[in-house]
Amino acid sequence: MGFDIQNVRGNFPILRRKVYEKQLVYLDNAATTQKPDMVIDRLNNFYSYENSNVHRGIHHLSQEATACFEEARDYVQKFLNAHSRNEIIFTRGTTESINLVAQSFGRKFINPGDEVLISQMEHHSNIVPWQMICEERGARLLVVPITESAELNMKAFEKMLSDKTRIVAITHVSNTLGTINPVDIIVKLAHRVGARVLIDGAQAIAHLPIDLQNLDCDFYCFSGHKVYGPTGIGVLYGKVELLEEMLPYQCGGEMISEVTFEKTTFNELPYKFEAGTPNIAGALGLHSALLYLDRLGIRQAAAHEDEVFKYALDKLGQIDQIIIYSRAQHKTTSLSFNLKGVHPYDVGSIIDKFAVAVRTGHLCTQPLTRIFQVPGFVRASFAVYNTTEEVDIFINAVIQAKSMLMS
Ligand code: PLP
């Protein structure tokens, strides 16, 4: 499959639909991406002809479903270049993956007086689970500040690291600012003081090639729905030696080896962390989504997205009275802005009437609204199927919103 934008758009049936009798322009990809035929067909086929529970049956359908489910795991391992398939745990998404680590790692390794480092640009999913576990374990949550240019303050980060730091939990790409954090440097610095590192890859997975053996972080997580896959499926990668030491986060079927009323022994990895019937169709759909992206070529896809993103940044920047928050030198596909003094909901509602889907509000980063002293942001976020023609429609909608709200 070569990269042909019209071909790519043709793979996504939703892009053919109209909203308010106009062609839909979907720029809310950081919230969730649309799904190609390949993923939709996979789900349809599973429920039509293959549906069965995994790991439990000796009958043919169950064995087939199990094989497909485990093949999906193998594909994720390959996609991330993880060392072992046992390091790939299926979860409901990034949120569940982070909660799993906060609870399971936290209860085992975080003690009174220890410190957990996050940053000012984290999504609520990478703030609240750490707040909860720090409170429970008597640990301190430290927050690395960002700079004027919406980048992590690496000098402050280095200063905040110490032998008390148990884990650093940082986003790979900010969903609000688009900033790409220097995760390779963060991992090296954190490991130097003996801290573990969790990278929230929710906004990176569709746009940046990931090589976990090279990156050497201890945990990495993402959601399927942000990489053209289904909702309700995601991944937690964890290093085997850590996962082996951690206790399960949820308990029930699948995750046990032997149960008596006196004692339970746990299943081997990765099943120890997959209690209950998993999202089987979701895992198969995720497999198809990653396959789709692999066939397109993630680097080619990213190059196209970058072109569209830069075009949008440039055009938006030419509009008077616009404040752009996506200012980092290294950034990708999330473009947050405001019209000076205008509430983002008002801007978003007008843009919507042009059939352009953007997101407005705190974007699950309320601390950033306080830092920038705004009620929220308007965010356009791009995916592989967006075009510069769509950007023109979006820019026109912003100009119209401006003339209605600011004249
Ligand atoms: N982390 C980041 C950076 C995100 O952008 C999101 C979702 O927007 C999440 C975590 C949470 O992802 P999910 O809701 O799929 O669990």
Side-chain angles (χ1 to χ4, degrees):
M1 218 193 289
F3 193 85
D4 168 347
I5 183 64
Q6 286 316 323
N7 220 343
V8 170
R9 289 182 67 78
N11 298 145
F12 292 81
I14 204 168
L15 299 181
R16 295 194 278 278
R17 75 159 283 180
K18 297 206 158 149
V19 171
Y20 310 127
E21 296 176 5
K22 298 184 185 81
Q23 190 59 48
L24 166 71
V25 175
Y26 186 77
L27 301 182
D28 194 17
N29 296 287
T32 197
T33 53
Q34 299 301 346
K35 322 301 171 200
D37 287 320
M38 224 169 114
V39 170
I40 299 165
D41 292 348
R42 189 67 195 94
L43 298 181
N44 194 3
N45 203 64
F46 176 74
Y47 283 125
S48 300
Y49 307 112
E50 301 167 277
N51 180 47
S52 181
N53 210 334
V54 291
H55 299 142
R56 293 173 194 178
I58 57 153
H59 63 81
H60 183 81
L61 274 189
S62 175
Q63 292 194 17
E64 219 173 69
T66 304
C68 291
F69 185 72
E70 293 305 326
E71 271 168 33
R73 193 187 311 276
D74 290 336
Y75 203 83
V76 173
Q77 179 204 342
K78 196 174 122 217
F79 193 85
L80 300 175
N81 193 27
H83 176 68
S84 153
R85 70 189 314 281
N86 294 344
E87 297 172 322
I88 306 300
I89 296 158
F90 284 122
T91 62
R92 280 196 298 122
T94 310
T95 302
E96 189 178 57
S97 300
I98 298 173
N99 275 279
L100 191 164
V101 177
Q103 290 296 318
S104 290
F105 176 91
R107 287 191 188 138
K108 179 85 187 182
F109 295 106
I110 299 177
N111 292 306
D114 286 347
E115 290 173 354
V116 171
L117 252 68
I118 59 170
S119 87
Q120 281 182 332
M121 67 169 89
E122 299 312 313
H123 187 280
H124 296 161
S125 318
N126 203 25
I127 300 174
V128 187
W130 299 112
Q131 264 172 350
M132 305 263 299
I133 196 69
C134 281
E135 207 172 302
E136 190 183 315
R137 305 292 300 168
R140 278 212 313 156
L141 186 66
L142 302 187
V143 185
V144 181
I146 58 169
T147 63
E148 282 287 305
S149 52
E151 287 162 341
L152 264 192
N153 185 330
M154 290 300 287
K155 280 208 180 103
F157 171 65
E158 266 198 84
K159 273 202 195 134
M160 291 164 94
L161 279 173
S162 77
D163 60 1
K164 289 191 200 149
T165 317
R166 277 307 135 257
I167 189 163
V168 174
I170 295 276
T171 194
H172 197 163
V173 172
S174 158
N175 62 307
T176 300
L177 307 169
T179 308
I180 304 175
N181 285 319
V183 285
D184 48 345
I185 299 173
I186 289 169
V187 170
K188 284 196 182 83
L189 291 172
H191 282 176
R192 224 180 264 168
V193 298
R196 299 295 185 171
V197 181
L198 173 139
I199 309 286
D200 171 354
Q203 295 297 336
I205 192 71
H207 311 292
L208 305 175
I210 311 292
D211 179 343
L212 291 183
Q213 288 188 63
N214 192 31
L215 182 56
D216 197 34
C217 59
D218 302 283
F219 301 101
Y220 195 94
C221 48
F222 71 90
S223 305
H225 71 100
K226 299 207 194 264
V227 59
Y228 313 112
T231 50
I233 186 75
V235 168
L236 170 66
Y237 156 86
K239 281 185 179 161
V240 165
E241 72 261 26
L242 277 170
L243 294 176
E244 291 283 13
E245 285 198 60
M246 288 156 50
L247 287 176
Y249 163 57
Q250 292 178 338
C251 303
E254 292 281 331
M255 49 72 71
I256 54 90
S257 169
E258 195 176 354
V259 178
T260 66
F261 286 116
E262 288 71 39
K263 187 168 171 56
T264 293
T265 52
F266 303 126
N267 204 342
E268 59 197 24
L269 288 173
Y271 311 108
K272 182 171 100 173
F273 290 103
E274 292 181 354
T277 299
N279 182 351
I280 305 162
L284 273 46
L286 175 61
H287 184 174
S288 292
L290 298 180
L291 198 61
Y292 177 79
L293 191 52
D294 257 343
R295 285 182 186 168
L296 277 185
I298 190 160
R299 284 193 166 80
Q300 273 177 291
H304 168 77
E305 288 163 358
D306 229 39
E307 199 182 305
V308 175
F309 179 54
K310 285 194 177 125
Y311 181 78
L313 262 176
D314 179 48
K315 290 275 172 187
L316 199 68
Q318 290 174 27
I319 302 174
D320 195 29
Q321 312 266 42
I322 285 267
I323 305 165
I324 294 177
Y325 304 96
S326 306
R327 307 170 182 162
Q329 196 186 348
H330 297 291
K331 56 185 171 302
T332 177
T333 65
S334 273
L335 204 184
S336 291
F337 65 97
N338 271 316
L339 279 170
K340 236 177 231 168
V342 180
H343 199 285
Y345 287 157
D346 295 336
V347 181
S349 316
I350 295 175
I351 292 177
D352 171 62
K353 296 298 178 291
F354 290 81
V356 179
V358 292
R359 185 138 297 238
T360 53
H362 55 63
L363 314 179
C364 293
T365 53
Q366 279 184 9
L368 281 181
T369 63
R370 290 192 195 98
I371 288 164
F372 289 105
Q373 298 180 321
V374 289
F377 308 92
V378 185
R379 180 186 68 193
S381 53
F382 302 90
V384 68
Y385 37 71
N386 290 125
T387 64
T388 49
E389 289 77 18
E390 288 183 309
V391 172
D392 288 336
I393 297 170
F394 156 65
I395 293 292
N396 176 55
V398 177
I399 292 170
Q400 298 302 321
K402 186 185 160 202
S403 73
M404 282 184 213
L405 297 166
M406 295 184 84
S407 57

